[in-house]
């Protein structure tokens, strides 16, 4: 796993619908190793020649976008109202430093002071309707010189390795998948393959829907991050999956029932190669597989995910050993899907 590449990807801001900077960086990494195009929605579709033609057309996919917020109004006191972009829990946003718009105006997410909350408000989780972004403007006119409605609001978070092989940072979902695909494109593959870096996953699997229609694959491999709940107060199946136990391969989530043969084959392959493998103990979440597997006449689909604590927050946490296992399994399954 190329940690430096992952760090560069995670530190780029790119909420859904505003993935341009991420796209430009990825193109700079792959342009000398494949043929690529950018579709009208902003997806990168890259065709990588391998040593031999593949028996099956396989599409490997990861999304470029990250969760965040968007400016919806400027108030008279110069603060900004915002709406979430993707599945952000308002509780993880309060008090966080942010950057607003293309120029990266510094700000902080604020909410009503605790001593002003009613008894009922103290019992309920905050909502985005009660949050605002403070950019230090004196009034509305001052703020409007710096920001506009529709400007994206990105979390500010360092990327760091810490503890016993852990990594924390924003946007690991799904810059991890992008990093794996870049590594594959830069390597020598045994078979021809198509890679799609897609947009707007966090707001409804939109980019993958159009990319899969264009590529028209027989098989798809989705590379993702998925929620791990191996934390205090979670036990049994509620832990879902755990850091340190390897790649996560689901049999079903809220948007996909995965191909049974591919699911079983992934476990057999992992066991044969000594790759850490686990499945999710809950039917929860979803990813671009939900749009890809029902594209055109149907696509046999498998998702390989890195277990991640605090998903969709400014500080996602993963373990390096799991990222390595995911990359190994992805490479092995890609070869099998090309030839089965």
């Amino acid at each position: 796993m190329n940690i430096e590449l992952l760090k560069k990807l995670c530190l780029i801001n790119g909420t859904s619908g505003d993935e341009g900077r991420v796209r430009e960086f990825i193109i700079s990494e792959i342009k000398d190793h494949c043929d690529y195009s950018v579709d009208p929605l902003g997806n990168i579709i890259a065709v990588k020649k391998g040593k031999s033609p593949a028996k099956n057309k396989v599409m490997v996919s990861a999304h470029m976008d990250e969760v965040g917020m968007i400016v919806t109004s400027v108030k008279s006191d110069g603060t900004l109202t915002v709406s979430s972009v993707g599945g952000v829990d308002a509780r993880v946003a309060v008090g966080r430093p942010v950057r607003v718009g293309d120029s990266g105006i510094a700000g902080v997410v604020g909410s009503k002071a605790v001593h002003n909350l009613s008894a009922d408000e103290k019992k309920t989780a905050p909502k985005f309707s009660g949050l605002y972004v403070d950019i230090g403007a004196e009034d509305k006119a001052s703020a409007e010189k710096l920001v506009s409605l529709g400007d994206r609001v990105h979390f500010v978070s360092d990327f760091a390795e810490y503890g016993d092989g852990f990594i924390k940072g924003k946007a690991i979902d799904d810059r991890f998948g992008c990093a794996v695909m870049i590594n594959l494109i830069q390597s020598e593959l045994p078979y021809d393959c198509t890679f799609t870096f897609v947009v707007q996953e966090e707001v409804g699997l939109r980019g993958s829907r159009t990319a899969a229609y264009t590529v028209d694959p027989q098989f798809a491999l989705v590379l993702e991050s998925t929620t791990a709940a191996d934390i205090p107060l979670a036990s049994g199946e509620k832990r879902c999956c755990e850091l340190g136990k390897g790649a996560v391969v689901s049999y079903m989530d809220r948007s996909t029932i995965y191909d049974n043969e591919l699911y079983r084959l992934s476990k057999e392959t992992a066991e044969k190669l000594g790759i850490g493998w686990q499945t999710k103990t809950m039917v929860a979440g979803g990813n671009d597989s939900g749009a890809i597997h029902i594209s055109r006449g149907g696509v046999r689909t498998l998702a390989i995910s890195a277990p991640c604590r605090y998903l969709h927050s400014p500080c996602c946490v993963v373990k390096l050993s799991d990222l390595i296992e995911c990359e190994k399994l992805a490479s092995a399954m890609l070869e099998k899907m090309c030839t089965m």
Side-chain angles (χ1 to χ4, degrees), residues 49-56 190-192 338-339:
K49 286 292 185 180
K51 294 179 181 178
S52 305
K55 178 182 177 181
N56 304 308
Y191 300 102
D192 299 346
C338 284
T339 57

Side-chain angles (χ1 to χ4, degrees), residues 184-221:
L184 287 169
I185 290 172
Q186 291 177 343
S187 67
E188 192 173 69
L189 297 181
Y191 300 102
D192 299 346
C193 185
T194 300
F195 295 85
T196 57
F197 299 85
V198 301
V199 299
Q200 298 188 41
E201 188 267 357
E202 300 292 4
V203 291
L205 321 183
R206 297 170 186 174
S208 59
R209 189 181 308 276
T210 61
Y213 187 90
T214 298
V215 175
D216 192 17
Q218 294 164 287
F219 290 80
L221 176 60

Side-chain angles (χ1 to χ4, degrees), residues 99-165:
R99 293 283 180 179
V100 183
D102 291 339
S103 56
I105 300 299
V108 176
V109 180
S111 63
K112 185 186 289 188
V114 173
H115 65 275
N116 285 333
L117 294 176
S118 67
D120 287 339
E121 287 174 327
K122 289 179 180 180
K123 296 177 183 178
T124 59
K127 299 179 180 179
F128 273 94
S129 59
L131 304 187
Y132 58 89
V133 174
D134 182 347
I135 59 171
E138 292 184 356
D139 51 33
K140 182 175 182 177
S142 299
E144 287 178 333
K145 293 177 182 179
L146 301 173
V147 301
S148 300
L149 303 192
D151 279 353
R152 300 311 198 278
V153 181
H154 301 96
F155 291 117
V156 175
S157 178
D158 291 335
F159 182 98
E161 297 180 64
Y162 75 103
D164 185 18

